[in-house]
């Protein structure tokens, strides 16, 4: 059973919990440490985290300082943890910590860089962009492999722009198969209610929010917009006030993945999978969690032409692909929508292989086996360990 040290940029990110579920189901023993952007209470997927301090979304100077402070105290924070077989660093800011941790463990532990978003600062052609890529190369100088979630990240960034030269493994944002424990009941669709579009997950796109609000007003109650997840409040002037002022839009709070997915997607007909947060760059290349969540649970996906998400819909002959990200394009796609047409769209999604959207136990074991295969052969040194302290703070 391999032992992993998982270093993360935000312990409160629901995606961290999903990855932990996948790793532990695959047979790994995981030590978890990272920063947090919200209060952390108790374990995460049954694992007690080491909180390295608070950071804030978008505040890069503060995050850089937090990383420097964490590096200074990392030996104390990780004191007592057994030497890992592999260190996994989620996002660029944890790569520096991974190198420091590896030094404490003797310098022979392979490091995996898990990069699931390509920030706009990394792709610039000016001095800032090049400096960011040099920093990525410096902190990633000992990286054995890169894990990313979309083939477009590899072809548009790691193959042509990044200075890192390491093999890239694709691990898509598929849904980890749910157990029966804690599942919410799946609602039955009422024929007399308005059509519903669900925008779930990381809500960070101002353009999507305004587009969906304008579309719902144009439809005058024929469509409702249901929002769930974690709003990035730094990206909106006043998210709560905006939604409260919209007659056909409501925000229903966070949800658990995978436990709540069947229930919340059972309440909607369409899944908004578009994202213009970093339009033309990361938003064009990513394959968002909501794509897999929605398709797995029968919601008809909506994407925008020219994106990697739209290519997935086209290959599977499912969903609606808008000509552009406007309320007019969405109105045109929904023109003439009736129950018969919706059933055709719904049936096409249902006919897809579930493995397109879902990770099973075999996938979990394969990922852990691949990670274990990166470790050098030979017995582990049992003397290379330090206590784990969960009280480290900056």
């Amino acid at each position: 059973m391999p032992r992993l040290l998982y270093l993360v940029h935000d312990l409160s990110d629901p995606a961290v919990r999903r990855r932990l579920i996948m790793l532990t189901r695959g047979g790994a023993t995981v030590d978890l440490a990272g920063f947090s952007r919200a209060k952390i209470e108790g374990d995460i997927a049954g694992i007690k985290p080491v909180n390295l301090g608070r950071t804030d979304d978008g505040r890069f100077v503060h995050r850089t300082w937090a990383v420097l402070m964490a590096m200074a105290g990392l030996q104390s924070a990780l004191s007592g943890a057994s030497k890992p077989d592999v260190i996994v660093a989620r996002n660029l800011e944890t790569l520096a910590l991974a190198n420091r941790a590896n030094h404490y463990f003797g310098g022979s532990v392979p490091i995996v860089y898990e990069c699931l978003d390509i920030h706009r600062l990394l792709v610039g052609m000016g001095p800032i962009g090049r400096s960011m890529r040099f920093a990525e190369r410096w902190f990633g100088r000992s990286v054995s492999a890169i894990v990313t979630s979309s083939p477009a990240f590899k072809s548009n960034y790691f193959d042509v722009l990044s200075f890192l030269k390491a093999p890239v493994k694709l691990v898509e944002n598929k849904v980890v198969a749910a157990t029966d424990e804690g599942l919410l009941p799946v609602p039955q669709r009422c024929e007399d209610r308005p059509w519903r579009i669900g925008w779930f997950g990381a809500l960070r796109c101002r353009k999507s929010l305004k587009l969906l609000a304008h579309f719902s007003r144009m439809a005058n109650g024929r469509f409702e917009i249901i929002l769930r997840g974690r709003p990035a409040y730094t990206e909106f002037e006043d998210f709560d006030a905006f939604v409260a002022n919209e007659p056909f839009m409501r925000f229903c709070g966070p949800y658990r993945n995978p436990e709540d997915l069947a229930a919340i997607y059972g309440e909607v007909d369409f899944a908004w999978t578009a994202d213009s947060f970093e339009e033309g760059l990361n938003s064009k290349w990513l394959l968002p969690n909501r794509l897999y969540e929605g398709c797995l649970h029968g919601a008809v996906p909506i994407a925008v032409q020219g994106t990697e998400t739209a290519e997935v819909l086209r290959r599977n002959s499912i969903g609606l692909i808008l000509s552009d990200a406007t309320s007019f394009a969405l109105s045109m796609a929904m023109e003439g929508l009736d129950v018969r047409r919706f059933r055709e769209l719904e049936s096409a999604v249902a006919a897809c292989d579930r493995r397109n959207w879902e990770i099973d136990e075999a996938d979990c074991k394969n990922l852990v086996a691949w990670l274990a295969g990166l470790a050098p052969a030979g017995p582990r040194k049992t003397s290379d360990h330090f206590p784990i302290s969960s009280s480290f703070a900056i």
Side-chain angles (χ1 to χ4, degrees):
M1 181 180 292
R3 177 175 289 274
L4 308 178
L5 173 59
Y6 194 25
L7 301 172
V8 303
H9 70 300
D10 182 10
L11 292 166
S12 63
D13 186 345
V16 169
R17 177 175 179 265
R18 293 196 300 272
R19 180 66 84 229
L20 289 173
I21 292 173
M22 188 176 182
L23 293 173
T24 54
R25 284 190 187 177
T29 299
V30 184
D31 289 321
L32 173 65
F35 304 100
S36 62
R37 298 180 187 176
K39 187 176 181 180
I40 303 297
E41 296 182 357
D43 297 348
I44 303 174
I47 299 170
K48 186 174 181 61
V50 176
N51 195 331
L52 300 178
R54 178 69 181 259
T55 59
D56 295 306
D57 190 22
R59 295 180 60 191
F60 292 105
V61 174
H62 177 262
R63 284 162 61 182
T64 300
W65 177 250
V67 170
L68 292 174
M69 292 294 291
M71 288 175 67
L74 193 63
Q75 184 172 8
S76 174
L78 296 181
S79 62
S82 297
K83 179 178 179 180
D85 297 298
V86 179
I87 299 172
V88 181
R90 188 181 181 101
N91 277 26
L92 177 58
E93 59 207 86
T94 62
L95 268 181
L97 299 182
N99 283 299
R100 182 62 61 93
N102 190 18
H103 173 74
Y104 296 148
F105 289 121
S108 61
V109 182
I111 297 173
V112 174
Y113 176 31
E114 186 178 32
C115 181
L116 307 181
D117 275 310
I118 307 297
H119 195 277
R120 62 183 178 275
L121 293 181
L122 280 168
V123 299
M125 294 297 106
I128 294 178
R130 290 184 63 82
S131 297
M132 289 293 292
R133 291 193 294 277
F134 273 117
E136 182 183 58
R137 183 176 71 173
W138 173 252
F139 292 128
R141 61 192 181 277
S142 301
V143 162
S144 298
I146 299 166
V147 169
T148 195
S149 57
S150 170
F153 288 155
K154 180 179 185 297
S155 59
N156 289 286
Y157 180 69
F158 288 111
D159 286 352
V160 296
L161 281 177
S162 176
F163 297 138
L164 291 179
K165 301 303 176 186
V168 178
K169 182 175 180 61
L170 179 66
V171 180
E172 296 178 60
N173 291 317
K174 296 180 181 181
V175 177
V176 180
T179 64
D180 293 337
E181 183 179 355
L183 294 180
L184 295 178
V186 181
Q188 297 295 317
R189 186 182 191 282
C190 300
E191 297 293 342
D192 58 348
R193 68 161 171 76
W195 299 104
R196 289 177 178 168
I197 300 175
W199 181 28
F200 300 162
L203 309 180
R204 58 185 184 177
C205 177
R206 284 172 289 183
K207 186 172 184 178
S208 289
L209 184 66
K210 293 179 179 179
L211 183 162
L212 291 169
H214 186 234
F215 165 76
S216 66
R217 285 179 178 261
M218 290 170 59
N220 196 29
R222 186 165 174 253
F223 285 83
E224 291 180 345
I225 311 300
I226 310 299
L227 312 179
R228 290 183 183 269
R230 295 203 315 168
Y233 284 102
T234 57
E235 300 301 324
F236 303 99
E237 292 183 8
D238 192 333
F239 175 87
D240 294 327
F242 182 94
V243 174
N245 194 47
E246 290 300 319
F248 311 114
M249 175 181 282
R250 53 192 169 96
F251 174 57
C252 301
Y255 60 93
R256 299 173 302 164
N257 180 335
E259 293 89 346
D260 298 346
L261 296 182
I264 65 174
Y265 280 98
E267 293 178 343
V268 302
D269 309 297
F270 298 90
W272 181 257
T273 67
D275 185 313
S276 300
F277 175 63
E278 292 185 350
E279 199 166 9
L281 300 172
N282 188 74
S283 293
K284 182 178 180 180
W285 304 332
L286 60 75
L287 293 175
N289 292 294
R290 59 182 67 95
L291 166 67
Y292 303 93
E293 296 172 358
C295 290
L296 180 64
H297 295 97
V300 176
I302 304 171
V304 176
Q305 183 175 315
T307 63
E308 189 70 15
T309 304
E311 287 303 308
V312 171
L313 303 195
R314 185 172 288 109
R315 286 197 299 271
N316 288 279
S317 300
I318 59 172
L320 301 173
I321 300 177
L322 310 185
S323 58
D324 52 29
T326 63
S327 55
F328 176 76
L330 181 55
S331 296
M332 293 296 294
M334 294 299 186
E335 188 175 6
L337 178 67
D338 55 19
V339 173
R340 179 180 178 181
R341 182 178 175 225
F342 176 75
R343 294 302 179 209
E344 292 174 350
L345 294 168
E346 184 181 47
S347 296
V349 176
C352 291
D353 187 341
R354 287 179 63 89
R355 288 182 58 83
N356 289 351
W357 324 119
E358 185 178 50
I359 290 170
D360 59 18
E361 187 173 345
D363 295 319
C364 297
K365 290 180 177 179
N366 287 338
L367 175 61
V368 171
W370 173 77
L371 288 168
L374 298 174
R380 183 190 302 172
K381 296 180 181 179
T382 56
S383 59
D384 289 338
H385 60 84
F386 313 94
I388 211 155
S389 167
S390 59
S391 60
F392 180 84
I394 61 174

